[in-house]
């Protein structure tokens, strides 16, 4: 098991070329991963049409730096992503343009992917899913380089290297997986299966600016000032979670990877190259309002635990003062729990599976996270 993670300081994106190259050289150098003539697919995090300064998507200067490094090693680069919402040429054009990817490829030979075909891959080793639809450019790559962004996430608490691969699943299938695996544990187990199926060659984390609070799209920008890289996405996530003060068992993708023996069982055991991360830990990094770990403090039988989790679970709630009635939340809602017949979204709470896709894809940050009274009470008195 490779537990090596490089950590390099990078205060601003204008310095990112050196930082990216240093981070990769600390884990063996780009020549270890890319050979002349390789078809290299770079998978950034382009969850939705967000401007670079919103710190939601992989920064274009960061992406440009990785393209330059790969091209110096002789790789032929394609940028590929299946963003939230529909997966078609129009949607891809919009995302590439708003997220600054058009600019990131300027002066390079990198191509933008517009091939929206996919293949259902049989993955018998999967614990939760044994068949996974994956976009073809990923399947046709010699080398996959994943560029996650360090952010909090309303449903999974944290999104980083493993979760970034959810964007290798074509559009509507993402909603189907949310619907089928509507409980956080099974959803995160699927994400670990997906990672093992895709197995990126290398993951390089954009942690120059991250997001805290109600991520992955509606939180606040947070300066972290780091670039991190690893061959093992699970080790990269374990190190990132440690940095933003999550225990491994608070993030189900990390907990699951530890249980499956895909990564060491504590951040102290990670083989860090570069900066010592202990003094860099941010104890005040804001968690999403949906996050609570109090259940783990209480040992209850599974059935009771499930009831308590349900009673404590945060829910989406629309802020009608901000909502413009665009209907994007209704279109992306996996169980179709949002009614737009009055021109404004109304959630059927019985059908809602609390996946927070509506919160993630609302362009106006109008979907808030509402904590039940019991949840607020427990946090106040038991924390
Ligand atoms: S996506 Fe946001 S702005 Fe659009 S209807 Fe839903 S809540 Fe309102
Ligand atoms: S209303 Fe929002 S949180 Fe509930 S199921 Fe629909 S998209 Fe998911």
């Amino acid at each position: 098991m490779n537990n090596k993670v490089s950590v390099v300081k990078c205060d601003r994106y204008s310095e990112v070329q050196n930082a990216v190259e240093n981070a990769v050289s600390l884990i063996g150098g780009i020549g270890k991963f890319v050979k002349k003539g390789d078809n290299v697919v770079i998978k950034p995090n382009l969850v939705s049409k967000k401007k670079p300064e919103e710190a939601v998507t992989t920064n274009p200067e960061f992406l440009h730096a990785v393209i330059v490094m790969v091209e110096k090693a002789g790789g032929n680069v394609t940028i590929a992503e299946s963003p939230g919402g529909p997966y078609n040429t129009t949607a891809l054009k919009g995302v590439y343009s708003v997220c600054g990817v058009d600019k990131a490829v300027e002066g390079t030979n990198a191509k933008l992917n517009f091939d929206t075909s996919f293949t259902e891959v049989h993955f018998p080793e999967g614990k939760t899913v044994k068949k996974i639809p994956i976009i073809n450019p990923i399947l046709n790559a010699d080398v996959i380089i994943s560029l996650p962004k360090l952010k909090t996430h309303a449903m999974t608490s944290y999104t980083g290297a493993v979760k970034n691969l959810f964007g290798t699943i074509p559009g509507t299938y993402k909603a189907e997986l949310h619907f089928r695996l509507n409980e956080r544990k099974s959803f995160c187990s699927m994400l670990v299966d997906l990672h093992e199926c895709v197995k990126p060659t290398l993951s390089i984390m954009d942690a120059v600016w991250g997001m805290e609070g109600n991520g992955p799209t509606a939180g606040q920008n947070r300066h972290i000032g780091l670039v991190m890289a690893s061959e093992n996405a699970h080790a990269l996530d374990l190190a990132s979670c440690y940095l933003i003060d999550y225990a491994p068992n608070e993030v189900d993708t990390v907990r699951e990877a530890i249980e499956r023996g895909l990564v060491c069982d504590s951040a102290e055991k990670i083989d860090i190259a570069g900066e010592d991360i202990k003094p860099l830990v941010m104890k005040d990094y804001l968690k999403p309002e949906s996050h609570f770990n109090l259940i783990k403090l209480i040992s209850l039988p599974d059935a009771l635990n499930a009831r308590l989790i349900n009673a404590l679970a945060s829910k989406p709630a629309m802020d009608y003062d901000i909502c413009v009635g665009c209907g994007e939340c209704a279109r992306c809602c996996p169980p179709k729990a949002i009614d737009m017949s009055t021109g404004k979204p109304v959630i059927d709470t019985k059908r809602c599976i609390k996946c927070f896709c509506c919160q993630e894809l609302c362009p106006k940050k109008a979907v808030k996270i509402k904590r039940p009274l019991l949840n607020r009470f427990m946090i106040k008195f038991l924390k």
Side-chain angles (χ1 to χ4, degrees):
M1 180 196 312
N2 181 338
N3 286 312
K4 191 161 189 170
V5 176
S6 63
V7 181
V8 170
K9 283 203 171 160
C10 178
D11 273 337
R12 50 192 73 83
Y13 286 110
S14 56
E15 298 163 358
V16 80
Q17 187 71 53
N18 276 344
V20 160
E21 294 189 13
N22 286 344
V24 175
S25 73
L26 285 169
I27 55 168
I30 193 65
K32 179 177 171 190
F33 308 106
V34 175
K35 302 281 173 274
K36 198 172 181 330
D38 275 348
N39 165 22
V40 180
V41 170
I42 296 180
K43 158 70 180 83
N45 180 336
L46 305 174
V47 55
S48 60
K49 284 196 276 185
K50 297 284 180 186
K51 292 183 183 146
E53 57 271 23
E54 295 182 77
V56 168
T57 52
T58 305
N59 185 277
E61 289 186 70
F62 189 98
L63 174 58
H64 180 83
V66 177
I67 298 170
V68 168
M69 175 178 67
V70 171
E71 289 191 341
K72 274 197 253 173
N76 301 316
V77 176
T78 303
I79 314 296
E81 167 70 300
S82 165
Y87 183 51
N88 56 40
T89 306
T90 312
L92 286 175
K93 272 187 186 158
V95 164
Y96 292 148
S97 164
V98 177
C99 300
V101 179
D102 288 343
K103 286 222 161 56
V105 299
E106 277 176 11
T108 75
N109 293 313
K111 296 183 190 70
L112 303 181
N113 175 60
F114 288 102
D115 169 10
T116 54
S117 62
F118 64 91
T119 303
E120 191 161 66
V121 177
H122 289 257
F123 188 59
E125 306 92 309
K127 183 175 154 190
T128 298
V129 283
K130 301 202 183 285
K131 276 189 213 162
I132 315 177
I134 293 176
I135 58 173
N136 281 344
I138 290 286
L139 298 175
N140 297 333
D142 299 318
V143 174
I144 300 166
I145 301 182
S146 167
L147 306 184
K149 182 116 183 142
L150 200 166
K151 294 183 293 178
T152 46
H153 192 286
M155 185 199 181
T156 55
S157 293
Y158 158 83
T159 171
V162 169
K163 176 79 172 55
N164 189 35
L165 299 184
F166 199 45
T168 65
I169 291 185
T172 50
Y173 283 89
K174 289 205 274 282
E176 197 179 304
L177 283 167
H178 269 297
F179 188 56
R180 255 176 58 208
L181 306 166
N182 58 25
E183 190 264 317
R184 176 169 134 156
K185 265 190 181 173
S186 55
F187 185 78
C188 288
S189 175
M190 173 278 295
L191 290 175
V192 174
D193 284 344
L194 171 63
H195 174 270
E196 293 313 291
C197 182
V198 173
K199 271 272 193 231
T201 317
L202 180 61
S203 301
I204 314 172
M205 174 89 75
D206 174 2
V208 181
W209 279 88
M211 178 167 277
E212 63 180 356
N214 291 331
T217 59
Q220 295 93 48
N221 299 11
R222 175 81 189 244
H223 184 253
I224 303 166
L226 295 175
V227 171
M228 301 162 78
S230 182
E231 288 176 62
N232 183 350
H234 304 295
L236 185 52
D237 279 348
L238 180 58
S240 305
C241 286
Y242 176 74
L243 258 177
I244 62 171
D245 200 33
Y246 272 128
N249 69 355
E250 287 184 272
V251 175
D252 281 325
T253 45
V254 173
R255 180 197 46 73
E256 180 88 21
I258 291 172
E259 282 171 14
R260 294 194 202 183
L262 301 169
V263 67
C264 55
D265 61 6
S266 79
E268 283 77 18
K269 294 182 187 165
I270 297 172
D271 178 9
I272 296 284
E275 299 291 330
D276 177 8
I277 55 171
K278 222 172 183 174
L280 303 176
V281 172
M282 291 169 283
K283 292 273 180 201
D284 61 343
Y285 207 89
L286 293 177
K287 307 299 183 288
E289 286 174 88
S290 51
H291 177 79
F292 60 88
N293 195 32
L294 301 169
I295 289 298
K296 295 192 168 95
L297 302 176
I298 311 163
S299 272
L300 291 174
D302 272 0
L304 260 179
N305 208 327
R307 281 188 166 200
L308 195 51
I309 285 173
N310 197 35
L312 288 169
S314 300
K315 298 167 179 63
M318 305 328 190
D319 182 336
Y320 293 115
D321 291 338
I322 306 175
C323 172
V324 293
C326 68
E328 188 55 37
C329 51
R331 283 189 286 279
C332 74
C333 174
K336 302 288 167 223
I338 300 177
D339 176 29
M340 289 294 300
S341 56
T342 61
K344 292 278 178 169
V346 177
I347 298 175
D348 178 343
T349 49
K350 287 207 176 88
R351 293 178 84 178
C352 172
I353 56 173
K354 301 170 194 81
C355 62
F356 293 102
C357 292
C358 50
Q359 186 250 4
E360 186 171 327
L361 294 176
C362 170
K364 299 291 176 193
K365 298 190 181 180
V367 184
K368 305 299 177 193
I369 297 174
K370 197 172 152 199
R371 278 189 154 143
L373 201 62
L374 182 60
N375 179 317
R376 279 182 270 153
F377 173 83
M378 286 186 76
I379 284 186
K380 197 165 173 196
F381 291 99
L382 298 179
K383 212 169 184 182

PDB file of all heavy atoms in Angstrom, residues 101-113:
ATOM      1  N   VAL A 101     -11.850  26.950 -18.244  1.00  0.00           N
ATOM      2  CA  VAL A 101     -11.065  25.871 -18.860  1.00  0.00           C
ATOM      3  C   VAL A 101     -10.620  26.277 -20.274  1.00  0.00           C
ATOM      4  O   VAL A 101      -9.508  25.958 -20.697  1.00  0.00           O
ATOM      5  CB  VAL A 101     -11.877  24.549 -18.894  1.00  0.00           C
ATOM      6  CG1 VAL A 101     -11.089  23.431 -19.551  1.00  0.00           C
ATOM      7  CG2 VAL A 101     -12.258  24.148 -17.473  1.00  0.00           C
ATOM      8  N   ASP A 102     -11.478  27.022 -20.981  1.00  0.00           N
ATOM      9  CA  ASP A 102     -11.095  27.532 -22.311  1.00  0.00           C
ATOM     10  C   ASP A 102      -9.769  28.286 -22.213  1.00  0.00           C
ATOM     11  O   ASP A 102      -8.888  28.147 -23.058  1.00  0.00           O
ATOM     12  CB  ASP A 102     -12.170  28.506 -22.846  1.00  0.00           C
ATOM     13  CG  ASP A 102     -13.440  27.779 -23.260  1.00  0.00           C
ATOM     14  OD1 ASP A 102     -13.380  26.547 -23.434  1.00  0.00           O
ATOM     15  OD2 ASP A 102     -14.487  28.434 -23.387  1.00  0.00           O
ATOM     16  N   LYS A 103      -9.659  29.106 -21.171  1.00  0.00           N
ATOM     17  CA  LYS A 103      -8.433  29.915 -20.990  1.00  0.00           C
ATOM     18  C   LYS A 103      -7.266  29.026 -20.540  1.00  0.00           C
ATOM     19  O   LYS A 103      -6.125  29.248 -20.925  1.00  0.00           O
ATOM     20  CB  LYS A 103      -8.675  30.999 -19.927  1.00  0.00           C
ATOM     21  CG  LYS A 103      -9.548  32.128 -20.408  1.00  0.00           C
ATOM     22  CD  LYS A 103      -9.003  33.480 -19.928  1.00  0.00           C
ATOM     23  CE  LYS A 103      -9.551  34.631 -20.739  1.00  0.00           C
ATOM     24  NZ  LYS A 103     -11.005  34.693 -20.775  1.00  0.00           N
ATOM     25  N   ALA A 104      -7.560  28.022 -19.709  1.00  0.00           N
ATOM     26  CA  ALA A 104      -6.505  27.161 -19.162  1.00  0.00           C
ATOM     27  C   ALA A 104      -5.754  26.405 -20.260  1.00  0.00           C
ATOM     28  O   ALA A 104      -4.573  26.098 -20.116  1.00  0.00           O
ATOM     29  CB  ALA A 104      -7.109  26.156 -18.168  1.00  0.00           C
ATOM     30  N   VAL A 105      -6.435  26.113 -21.368  1.00  0.00           N
ATOM     31  CA  VAL A 105      -5.766  25.338 -22.426  1.00  0.00           C
ATOM     32  C   VAL A 105      -5.056  26.241 -23.438  1.00  0.00           C
ATOM     33  O   VAL A 105      -4.330  25.739 -24.303  1.00  0.00           O
ATOM     34  CB  VAL A 105      -6.751  24.385 -23.165  1.00  0.00           C
ATOM     35  CG1 VAL A 105      -7.341  23.378 -22.206  1.00  0.00           C
ATOM     36  CG2 VAL A 105      -7.863  25.148 -23.885  1.00  0.00           C
ATOM     37  N   GLU A 106      -5.258  27.554 -23.314  1.00  0.00           N
ATOM     38  CA  GLU A 106      -4.599  28.463 -24.265  1.00  0.00           C
ATOM     39  C   GLU A 106      -3.087  28.309 -24.177  1.00  0.00           C
ATOM     40  O   GLU A 106      -2.522  28.196 -23.083  1.00  0.00           O
ATOM     41  CB  GLU A 106      -4.985  29.926 -23.967  1.00  0.00           C
ATOM     42  CG  GLU A 106      -6.314  30.310 -24.581  1.00  0.00           C
ATOM     43  CD  GLU A 106      -6.759  31.723 -24.205  1.00  0.00           C
ATOM     44  OE1 GLU A 106      -5.955  32.498 -23.632  1.00  0.00           O
ATOM     45  OE2 GLU A 106      -7.940  32.037 -24.464  1.00  0.00           O
ATOM     46  N   GLY A 107      -2.415  28.290 -25.335  1.00  0.00           N
ATOM     47  CA  GLY A 107      -0.958  28.149 -25.350  1.00  0.00           C
ATOM     48  C   GLY A 107      -0.486  26.717 -25.143  1.00  0.00           C
ATOM     49  O   GLY A 107       0.711  26.473 -24.991  1.00  0.00           O
ATOM     50  N   THR A 108      -1.411  25.777 -25.084  1.00  0.00           N
ATOM     51  CA  THR A 108      -1.049  24.353 -24.947  1.00  0.00           C
ATOM     52  C   THR A 108      -1.696  23.586 -26.108  1.00  0.00           C
ATOM     53  O   THR A 108      -2.474  24.153 -26.875  1.00  0.00           O
ATOM     54  CB  THR A 108      -1.566  23.749 -23.622  1.00  0.00           C
ATOM     55  OG1 THR A 108      -2.993  23.542 -23.730  1.00  0.00           O
ATOM     56  CG2 THR A 108      -1.288  24.643 -22.427  1.00  0.00           C
ATOM     57  N   ASN A 109      -1.399  22.301 -26.187  1.00  0.00           N
ATOM     58  CA  ASN A 109      -2.042  21.469 -27.226  1.00  0.00           C
ATOM     59  C   ASN A 109      -3.200  20.654 -26.646  1.00  0.00           C
ATOM     60  O   ASN A 109      -3.701  19.736 -27.305  1.00  0.00           O
ATOM     61  CB  ASN A 109      -1.013  20.515 -27.850  1.00  0.00           C
ATOM     62  CG  ASN A 109       0.037  21.279 -28.639  1.00  0.00           C
ATOM     63  OD1 ASN A 109      -0.312  22.153 -29.435  1.00  0.00           O
ATOM     64  ND2 ASN A 109       1.306  20.992 -28.395  1.00  0.00           N
ATOM     65  N   ALA A 110      -3.588  20.958 -25.414  1.00  0.00           N
ATOM     66  CA  ALA A 110      -4.642  20.160 -24.757  1.00  0.00           C
ATOM     67  C   ALA A 110      -5.983  20.314 -25.469  1.00  0.00           C
ATOM     68  O   ALA A 110      -6.332  21.405 -25.933  1.00  0.00           O
ATOM     69  CB  ALA A 110      -4.780  20.603 -23.298  1.00  0.00           C
ATOM     70  N   LYS A 111      -6.735  19.200 -25.527  1.00  0.00           N
ATOM     71  CA  LYS A 111      -8.057  19.217 -26.162  1.00  0.00           C
ATOM     72  C   LYS A 111      -9.140  19.142 -25.078  1.00  0.00           C
ATOM     73  O   LYS A 111      -8.928  18.539 -24.028  1.00  0.00           O
ATOM     74  CB  LYS A 111      -8.221  17.994 -27.071  1.00  0.00           C
ATOM     75  CG  LYS A 111      -7.259  17.969 -28.249  1.00  0.00           C
ATOM     76  CD  LYS A 111      -7.573  16.756 -29.118  1.00  0.00           C
ATOM     77  CE  LYS A 111      -6.521  16.527 -30.172  1.00  0.00           C
ATOM     78  NZ  LYS A 111      -5.244  16.058 -29.634  1.00  0.00           N
ATOM     79  N   LEU A 112     -10.293  19.724 -25.400  1.00  0.00           N
ATOM     80  CA  LEU A 112     -11.442  19.605 -24.496  1.00  0.00           C
ATOM     81  C   LEU A 112     -12.322  18.467 -24.987  1.00  0.00           C
ATOM     82  O   LEU A 112     -12.617  18.393 -26.181  1.00  0.00           O
ATOM     83  CB  LEU A 112     -12.244  20.915 -24.480  1.00  0.00           C
ATOM     84  CG  LEU A 112     -11.464  22.174 -24.099  1.00  0.00           C
ATOM     85  CD1 LEU A 112     -12.390  23.386 -24.103  1.00  0.00           C
ATOM     86  CD2 LEU A 112     -10.834  22.000 -22.729  1.00  0.00           C
ATOM     87  N   ASN A 113     -12.753  17.612 -24.096  1.00  0.00           N
ATOM     88  CA  ASN A 113     -13.576  16.484 -24.506  1.00  0.00           C
ATOM     89  C   ASN A 113     -15.026  16.904 -24.770  1.00  0.00           C
ATOM     90  O   ASN A 113     -15.657  17.556 -23.937  1.00  0.00           O
ATOM     91  CB  ASN A 113     -13.568  15.403 -23.418  1.00  0.00           C
ATOM     92  CG  ASN A 113     -14.521  14.279 -23.780  1.00  0.00           C
ATOM     93  OD1 ASN A 113     -14.355  13.637 -24.816  1.00  0.00           O
ATOM     94  ND2 ASN A 113     -15.536  14.076 -22.968  1.00  0.00           N
TER      95      ASN A 113
END
